[in-house]
Amino acid sequence: MQIYLVGGAVRDKLLGLPVREQDWVVVGASPQELLDQGFKPVGKDFPVFLHPQTGDEYALARTERKTGPGYKGFAFHASPDVSLEQDLQRRDLTINAMAEDADGTLIDPYHGREDLDNGLLRHVSPAFAEDPVRILRVARFAAQFGKWGFKVAHGTNALMRKMVESGEVDHLVPERVWGELARALATDTPQRFFTVLAGCGALAVLFPEISREFGDPQTHSGKQLVAPLQALADSVARSADPAVRLAVLLRALGRDLGRDRRLAQAESLCDRYRAPNEYRWLALRAIRHEQDVLSDDPQQLLTLMESAGGFRHGTRWQQLLETWLAAGLIDPQRAERLEQARAAAARISAADIETPGLRGPELGAAIREQRIEAVQEMVA
């Protein structure tokens, strides 16, 4: 039995990045041998086990064979006679197909180190075309390593385009698309996720709302980002929150459309990929109230604060202000005044009402009137 560190851990060590998790491949062993050593099996479909002490994943070396469309259409073969090189060959990119033995020696049969040095995202073998999730992964790695200038190899982009044309992308399930999108939004160059998808034709299939922004592909040079992707790129320096970044992007889509259509397409995208409620809420509120936040009418501003949960969910209000800041719609001074106004209004309670005997709606109306006055004092 031989054990090798593989994949992202090896890649990140070579890049000098922190290694967050370690994956291992076991060559020359059977499932029973790992069970006998206390390893715990994970799931039923893959020969993957958890180490009894560290919890790291240990996978038996395996090969795979395409049996149907989509990312689930595979049959796996794991046995003691599968070599490390065979296991690495089934991986997506050369930079993820490196291994390290117990002595720290690099094992690199597919020249991942060279591609790492050259900043290339290159597929390992033609088997790349069998799994549509790999298109998303390439786009996400382009975003993750974009600040170092990583590019997709021409041959890999051509293969991805053929995959799109053959309909493989149509088999992607919402959870996988969202998973890679969410990870890309947390990178330093999230716009690269979408430009790579545009470059292979997958953007029109997966994100038609964004693809329409490119207009005629014959006239769009690609050298300059379309406005929504520029807004996303600009938001990186202003917020590290992926929910804020998505809201900035969705708010910037369809500026030639009316507000209701912009809301509808943002809602459609979030629903299609089953975005978590906090992402959906933020994006829709950022669009719906983008004019309200610019108003100096205290009653309109109070209504905005109420709608945004400013008196019940302070964090949501703060996140909404952060979104408009990240989008460049308001400046820090405006955001500070609005927060001060919200805080002043929030301090108004029934105890501040001097008129005796008020109950129910009348009391609520009196509190609201004083809150409007408090907001007016802060934004005047």
Side-chain angles (χ1 to χ4, degrees), residues 34-50:
L34 291 183
L35 292 173
D36 291 343
Q37 294 187 30
F39 284 79
K40 299 178 181 179
V42 178
K44 298 179 180 179
D45 299 329
F46 303 102
V48 179
F49 302 81
L50 298 181

Side-chain angles (χ1 to χ4, degrees), residues 92-94 120-124 128 134-135 138 151-163 200:
D92 51 7
L93 298 173
T94 59
L120 272 183
L121 301 172
R122 186 193 305 277
H123 64 285
V124 176
F128 176 98
R134 289 174 170 175
I135 291 178
V138 170
K151 306 292 184 183
V152 180
H154 292 305
T156 301
N157 184 68
L159 190 57
M160 290 162 60
R161 183 169 287 279
K162 288 181 180 178
M163 293 168 68
C200 70

Side-chain angles (χ1 to χ4, degrees), residues 281 301-318 320 338-339 341-343 345-347 371:
W281 183 94
L301 289 174
L302 182 64
T303 300
L304 165 62
M305 295 170 190
E306 291 168 341
S307 176
F311 305 119
R312 293 178 292 108
H313 305 288
T315 54
R316 280 190 168 184
W317 166 255
Q318 293 291 345
L320 191 53
L338 288 172
E339 169 53 21
R342 184 210 63 82
R347 288 192 290 269
R371 284 182 169 178

